[in-house]
Amino acid sequence: MALELEEAFGAAGEFGGGQRRLTACLVLLQVYVACQSMLIVLVGAAPEYRIDQEEIPFSRAELAKHIHFADNFTSIVTEWYLIEKEAYKVNLASSLFFAGLLIGNITFGPLSDKLGRKPVYISGLFFDVVFGYVTALAPNYDIFAISRFFVGIVNGGMALVSFVLTQEYVGKSFWSFTGSLTNLMFAVGIAVYALLGYCVREWRYLALVSNTPGIIFFLLSFMLPESPRWLYSQGKTAEAEHVLQYIALGNGKERLNLKLKPTAATLRKGESAPGILNLVKHPVLRWRTVILMYIWYVCSFVYYGLTLNAGELRGNLYLNVALYGLVEVPAFPLCMFFIEKSWSGRRRTMTSFLVFAGFACMFSMFLPTNAGLFFSPTLLALCGKMMVSAAFNIVYIYTSELYPTVLRNAGLGVCSMSCRFGGVLAPFVPSMKSLGPSVPFMVFGISGLSAGFLTLLLPETLNKPVAESVEDLQIPKYQMLKNKKVNQSEENT
């Protein structure tokens, strides 16, 4: 008897040993991704310094004779003297990395939808490691900055594809778990990077040590099979059945007689695969994409905005970097609890987190800066940041479920691209204090509230089937339910 894909996942085993081994490699990969993303925080750190003459020397050789750095670590600042008029180059290298992320997000998604998850992921990881070593061995600032741009492209694209691949190795009922675990490991990776930085004070050695685990993950990735969902969406049912058999054997099941139903998305001869333009052509996908792009943009915008307005953390640099990641950790258990409950689900939970973050921005502007620890704007802003982190986690899972398999990476890529614009614009908002001290908080607050309420226009995906093809979106069970009668009838079927 032929099975639907979700039924086949159930027959292969509910997140058994085989799936745990497959997803473990991709989940742990997020530690490497986090180290690459946060590299500039320590590698570009500027220690205190003094210049033992009144006029700053124009030539680098003269500057080297008269400048004295205080701390016992090195960075690109201390090696290439990126201070005073040259200090902008540290932020420029960071901006180039994020510009690369934007390009990687928009290009790798459609590529993996057409060529397959595994080849695009492995290629991206290979070049990520290569350009990571170029960064560590860069002879001058120009090579360093260019390498960071290319690291951004391959790192952002590879991380996006690996997230989708992690989701597609398991049944839909485990997407919230694997998605949350993936994002949790990214937060842990920030803390791990801080520990590495504390132990390795030479910036080139730190870049080398942070990049080397990529080689291990690259070699392990060759043992990963292609996504069974992608194979099935392309009409390659025999290959999808083979991967599911492999997963079942890894889960300790005896060899099963798995037979998948033919997919409606099997391409006719001469018919091209769905591309990124389908996100615009299809009415349902068009409105979903517009709303999701805005939500992703706001998540990034408010997240970085709250970070900037929480006040500068003083004290140990490495402890501050670790706290920057660990403050997000409590967000993930909260997500896991709420998004699996029938009375909250994905949509209401994300709405609540975004609205809370919006109100946190609004209320923080009414609190005096000397109100004490428990009523300080900093604490309220950090609580808001945790809520935005939770919303960020949900939007990854939610977006994966709202797009059909043939366009899942393309949809995630477009949304991730809009997310990068939020990160780029957030640092400029504090300058709006010239219009009024509360204006930046109003901007972040209104953004969070508007995104939260817009989320209510999207359909709930909890306990709903995953669309494999664009044609599936025409079937009523994949669309937004209008009333309780439809809900009950679908649950009975």
Side-chain angles (χ1 to χ4, degrees), residues 48-287:
E48 292 184 6
Y49 63 89
R50 64 181 178 84
I51 301 174
D52 58 10
Q53 66 177 39
E54 292 184 4
E55 293 185 4
I56 299 174
F58 287 100
S59 69
R60 185 167 297 175
E62 280 296 313
L63 181 62
K65 296 177 183 178
H66 297 281
I67 190 170
H68 304 279
F69 291 103
D71 291 321
N72 63 337
F73 68 88
T74 67
S75 68
I76 60 173
V77 175
T78 63
E79 180 164 339
W80 295 315
Y81 304 104
L82 305 181
I83 60 170
E84 303 296 335
K85 294 180 180 179
E86 298 286 304
Y88 76 93
K89 290 185 176 180
V90 178
N91 292 328
L92 177 60
S94 181
S95 297
L96 287 171
F97 176 80
F98 281 101
L101 287 181
L102 190 151
I103 296 172
N105 289 155
I106 196 63
T107 55
F108 274 60
L111 276 176
S112 68
D113 284 332
K114 290 185 178 181
L115 304 178
R117 314 307 198 211
K118 182 179 177 180
V120 175
Y121 156 68
I122 289 181
S123 300
L125 181 54
F126 172 77
F127 286 108
D128 197 354
V129 173
V130 170
F131 288 120
Y133 280 122
V134 173
T135 294
L137 303 173
N140 54 55
Y141 170 81
D142 294 335
I143 300 297
F144 176 88
I146 293 170
S147 70
R148 290 303 292 165
F149 173 71
F150 284 107
V151 166
I153 293 175
V154 291
N155 185 269
M158 175 273 295
L160 177 71
V161 178
S162 70
F163 178 86
V164 173
L165 191 56
T166 306
Q167 300 292 74
E168 294 182 350
Y169 279 147
V170 300
K172 182 180 177 290
S173 59
F174 286 93
W175 279 17
S176 61
F177 175 74
T178 54
S180 296
L181 191 60
T182 300
N183 290 322
L184 173 63
M185 288 308 298
F186 183 88
V188 172
I190 296 174
V192 170
Y193 176 62
L195 179 61
L196 287 176
Y198 179 78
C199 298
V200 183
R201 300 300 179 94
E202 166 63 46
W203 80 265
R204 290 187 184 274
Y205 292 152
L206 175 60
L208 287 170
V209 171
S210 302
N211 192 57
T212 299
I215 298 176
I216 300 172
F217 288 115
F218 175 72
L219 296 175
L220 289 174
S221 297
F222 282 99
M223 296 187 291
L224 299 175
E226 181 55 271
S227 161
R229 289 188 184 277
W230 181 82
L231 292 169
Y232 183 67
S233 71
Q234 301 299 304
K236 301 177 180 180
T237 53
E239 295 177 46
E241 290 164 2
H242 178 74
V243 175
L244 289 169
Q245 288 281 8
Y246 173 79
I247 291 173
L249 291 172
N251 289 343
K253 300 266 185 179
E254 295 182 3
R255 188 163 184 83
L256 303 175
N257 185 24
L258 284 175
K259 186 69 177 175
L260 293 171
K261 289 182 180 179
T263 174
T266 303
L267 298 176
R268 300 180 185 90
K269 196 171 183 179
E271 186 179 349
S272 61
I276 197 168
L277 289 178
N278 286 75
L279 300 177
V280 179
K281 291 180 181 178
H282 199 284
V284 175
L285 290 178
R286 180 166 59 246
W287 285 111

Side-chain angles (χ1 to χ4, degrees), residues 285-455:
L285 290 178
R286 180 166 59 246
W287 285 111
R288 284 186 188 180
T289 301
V290 169
I291 294 172
L292 285 169
M293 284 179 69
Y294 181 71
I295 293 170
W296 279 70
Y297 158 78
V298 168
C299 282
S300 177
F301 185 61
V302 177
Y303 174 87
Y304 289 110
L306 284 173
T307 302
L308 293 171
N309 284 283
E312 294 183 3
L313 293 173
R314 297 181 181 180
N316 188 280
L317 171 66
Y318 306 99
L319 179 61
N320 291 344
V321 175
L323 290 174
Y324 183 85
L326 293 177
V327 74
E328 303 175 31
V329 172
F332 302 106
L334 287 173
C335 293
M336 289 295 299
F337 177 79
F338 287 109
I339 64 178
E340 292 298 329
K341 301 296 181 183
S342 58
W343 45 268
S344 55
R346 276 69 159 145
R347 184 179 54 164
R348 291 176 182 173
T349 304
M350 193 162 75
T351 295
S352 301
F353 282 137
L354 285 170
V355 168
F356 185 95
F359 279 126
C361 288
M362 295 284 196
F363 292 153
S364 62
M365 66 185 183
F366 297 114
L367 295 176
T369 55
N370 57 350
L373 176 63
F374 294 102
F375 298 98
S376 67
T378 297
L379 182 63
L380 188 59
L382 287 174
C383 288
K385 180 188 171 186
M386 184 178 71
M387 295 297 104
V388 173
S389 299
F392 235 146
N393 179 51
I394 297 170
V395 79
Y396 267 97
I397 301 165
Y398 195 27
T399 304
S400 298
E401 296 173 345
L402 284 170
Y403 284 107
T405 299
V406 293
L407 288 170
R408 186 164 296 125
N409 258 320
L412 274 168
V414 169
C415 292
S416 296
M417 178 194 70
S418 64
C419 159
R420 304 306 167 194
F421 283 111
V424 170
L425 291 177
F428 295 99
V429 177
S431 63
M432 297 175 69
K433 286 182 179 178
S434 58
L435 303 175
S438 63
V439 171
F441 293 103
M442 288 292 294
V443 172
F444 292 130
I446 292 171
S447 299
L449 292 173
S450 60
F453 292 125
L454 274 176
T455 304

